[in-house]
């Protein structure tokens, strides 16, 4: 594709060129020449069909995971999060050593490759929360826990300018990627002062199904606030709130 330059920006089709606006600016591309029927049946495009099938499966899996963690993601995500998660899901599927190409899936892949995934590249948990924490997934009981000992907030949490308060959130999720269903549970601290006074111990329990046969996840997030005249306002509308997957239990 080509990037449009100049004062006048085109939007539409002229001859064999299509002009359009994207989040990367005004772009132009040439019309494709391969028909849908040929793509679906020509042996020359077998690899393309296989890749397309797995990419579509990755997109659905990413949507299931996002939906399961929706409560945390409502206040945190960047505009490329969906595509980044899909790309990571493709890697999960490609790690499937059981099924043939084109039929590989998340269940037989390596869901653990999602551990450490950051949902907001503008504010990453890995560069925001330095307080040591323990993340535990107990598959037999379905208990997914986050434990953080007492810490000094302004020493262990890197916050955006203007922050006066913060909140720690977590979510446990059990995701059936084949059925596109989930069970999830969320927890959150109260809105706490971001200062030099030691915090209380954080202990959050998120419960899903006991003895589940689906992948289990623990996601942790931070929300930042600014207090003005006794009212707590989400800082920058949550654009710098981090959320990341910190533990995964596959099958």
């Amino acid at each position: 594709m080509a990037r449009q330059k100049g004062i006048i920006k085109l939007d539409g089709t002229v001859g064999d060129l299509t002009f359009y606006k994207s989040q990367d600016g005004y772009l132009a591309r040439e019309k494709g020449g391969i028909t849908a029927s040929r793509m679906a049946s020509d042996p020359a495009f077998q690899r393309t069909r296989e890749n397309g099938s797995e990419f579509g499966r990755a997109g659905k899996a990413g949507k299931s995971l996002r939906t399961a963690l929706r409560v945390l993601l409502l206040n945190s995500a960047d505009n490329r999060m969906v595509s980044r998660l899909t790309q990571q899901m493709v890697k999960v599927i490609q790690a499937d050593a059981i099924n043939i190409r084109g039929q590989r899936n998340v269940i037989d892949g390596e869901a653990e490759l999602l551990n450490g995934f950051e949902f907001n590249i503008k504010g990453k948990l890995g560069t925001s929360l330095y307080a040591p924490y323990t993340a535990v997934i107990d598959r037999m009981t379905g208990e997914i826990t986050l434990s953080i000992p007492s810490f000094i907030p302004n020493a262990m949490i890197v916050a955006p300018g203007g922050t006066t308060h913060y909140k720690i959130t977590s979510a446990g999720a059990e995701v059936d990627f084949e059925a596109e269903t989930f069970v999830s549970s969320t927890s959150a601290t109260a809105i706490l002062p971001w200062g030099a006074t030691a915090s209380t111990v954080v202990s959050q329990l998120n419960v899903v199904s006991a003895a589940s046969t689906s992948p289990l996840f623990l996601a942790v997030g931070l929300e930042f606030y600014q207090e003005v005249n006794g009212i707590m306002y989400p800082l920058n509308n949550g654009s710098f709130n981090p959320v990341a997957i910190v533990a995964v239990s596959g099958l």
Side-chain angles (χ1 to χ4, degrees), residues 141-209:
T141 64
E143 295 182 346
I144 301 177
T145 58
L146 171 70
S147 301
I148 308 177
S150 177
F151 64 94
I152 305 300
N154 64 4
M156 291 298 181
I157 293 179
V158 178
T163 296
T164 62
H165 290 73
Y166 70 98
K167 177 194 292 185
I168 297 175
T169 60
S170 67
E174 164 195 353
V175 185
D176 185 333
F177 291 105
E178 295 299 319
E180 298 180 39
T181 59
F182 66 90
V183 176
S184 65
S185 177
T186 60
S187 302
T189 64
I191 297 178
L192 305 170
W194 183 72
T197 302
S199 71
T200 58
V201 173
V202 175
S203 181
Q204 297 183 348
L205 171 63
N206 302 298
V207 180
V208 296
S209 303

Side-chain angles (χ1 to χ4, degrees), residues 158-165 194 224-226 233-236 240:
V158 178
T163 296
T164 62
H165 290 73
W194 183 72
F224 299 110
Y225 298 85
Q226 184 176 76
Y233 294 92
L235 199 65
N236 296 318
F240 295 105

Side-chain angles (χ1 to χ4, degrees), residues 4 10-20 29-31:
Q4 297 185 53
L10 301 178
D11 189 356
T13 301
V14 178
D16 291 330
L17 294 176
T18 298
F19 300 89
Y20 62 101
R29 65 186 174 195
E30 190 174 6
K31 288 183 179 180

